[in-house]
Amino acid sequence: MEVLLGITGKDFTIIAASKAAMRGVTILKATDNKTRVLNEHTLLAYSGESGDTVQFAEYIQANVQLYGMRTNRTSELNPAAISSFVRTELARSLRSRKPYHVNLLIGGFDTATDKPELYWLDYLAAKAKVPYAAHGYAQYYCLSILDKHHHPDITLEDGRRLLRMCVEELVKRMPVDFKGVYVQVVTKDGIETVDY
């Protein structure tokens, strides 16, 4: 019952994650933040089994920070490099006795190319670079809206409007209250949390 949404535009990436931590239809926590800041321009959103998600997200966050310390922060990993590392770790765990059951969105802004990036990863270590993405029940209700209204040169204001359309559709059609979404925007200036 978790919701993850990602939208890229002309100069931004928006990541939205549902606030409710759920087990089946039971809401365990109404203010759960399912995102992790990996560096100044990259954000990770996760959903799946609660123990796996938090452990895996913290593992990825720590490894990206370790890379920054080893290189004295002179070079920041871009979203493409981080998504490749994450995909490798998911593939490695998939072949172990205890694989992680985690679905991810990695969004960010590549400062070298001045372009936003969004990567969709699932628990089977499939990875795709996409202009917009959804995980959880959001994919059933929102992908058609995103297909119809998204275009590559969308502005931040239009991106927020598109996100609002998706959330309104989820509120209207989902059988369980997901307690709204946390919204974060990644631009060339960094990561900003947006009131929603």
Side-chain angles (χ1 to χ4, degrees):
M1 298 282 181
E2 294 169 326
V3 171
L4 296 181
L5 289 166
I7 301 170
T8 61
K10 188 175 183 179
D11 56 357
F12 69 90
T13 301
I14 298 175
I15 300 282
S18 58
K19 293 180 180 179
M22 304 176 81
R23 179 78 176 169
V25 295
T26 305
I27 297 173
L28 304 173
K29 185 178 177 185
T31 57
D32 189 30
N33 187 358
K34 297 177 189 71
T35 62
R36 290 281 189 271
V37 174
L38 300 180
N39 60 33
E40 284 185 41
H41 295 98
T42 310
L43 187 67
L44 172 80
Y46 53 85
S47 68
E49 293 296 324
S50 57
D52 287 353
T53 55
V54 173
Q55 183 179 7
F56 187 74
E58 288 176 352
Y59 171 74
I60 296 301
Q61 186 180 34
N63 275 283
V64 171
Q65 289 173 353
L66 178 62
Y67 176 84
M69 288 182 228
R70 285 182 175 166
T71 60
N72 296 322
R73 300 206 184 271
T74 54
S75 61
E76 182 180 88
L77 282 174
N78 63 16
I82 292 173
S83 68
S84 293
F85 170 69
V86 171
R87 190 225 169 266
T88 302
E89 292 302 315
L90 277 173
R92 186 174 294 139
S93 90
L94 186 63
R95 289 158 180 82
S96 71
R97 289 182 179 258
K98 294 187 179 178
Y100 291 110
H101 189 95
V102 182
N103 296 311
L104 306 159
L105 293 180
I106 298 174
F109 192 87
D110 189 346
T111 54
T113 62
D114 267 350
K115 294 191 181 211
E117 295 184 341
L118 180 63
Y119 293 89
W120 178 95
L121 293 96
D122 71 359
Y123 70 100
L124 294 174
K127 178 183 101 166
K129 182 178 179 181
V130 291
Y132 52 83
H135 269 302
Y137 278 86
Q139 62 190 349
Y140 300 120
Y141 302 120
C142 296
L143 285 180
S144 59
I145 294 170
L146 293 166
D147 280 339
K148 182 175 182 180
H149 297 286
H150 185 273
H151 56 87
D153 293 327
I154 194 170
T155 64
L156 180 55
E157 192 55 44
D158 289 339
R160 285 180 170 176
R161 196 174 302 116
L162 184 54
L163 178 65
R164 187 170 307 283
M165 289 170 63
C166 290
V167 172
E168 286 172 358
E169 189 69 17
L170 289 169
V171 167
K172 187 180 353 174
R173 297 184 64 192
M174 266 185 70
V176 175
D177 182 14
F178 56 92
K179 302 298 181 191
V181 291
Y182 282 113
V183 179
Q184 292 175 295
V185 178
V186 187
T187 62
K188 66 180 177 185
D189 300 323
I191 298 171
E192 174 191 358
T193 301
V194 177
D195 290 331
Y196 191 82

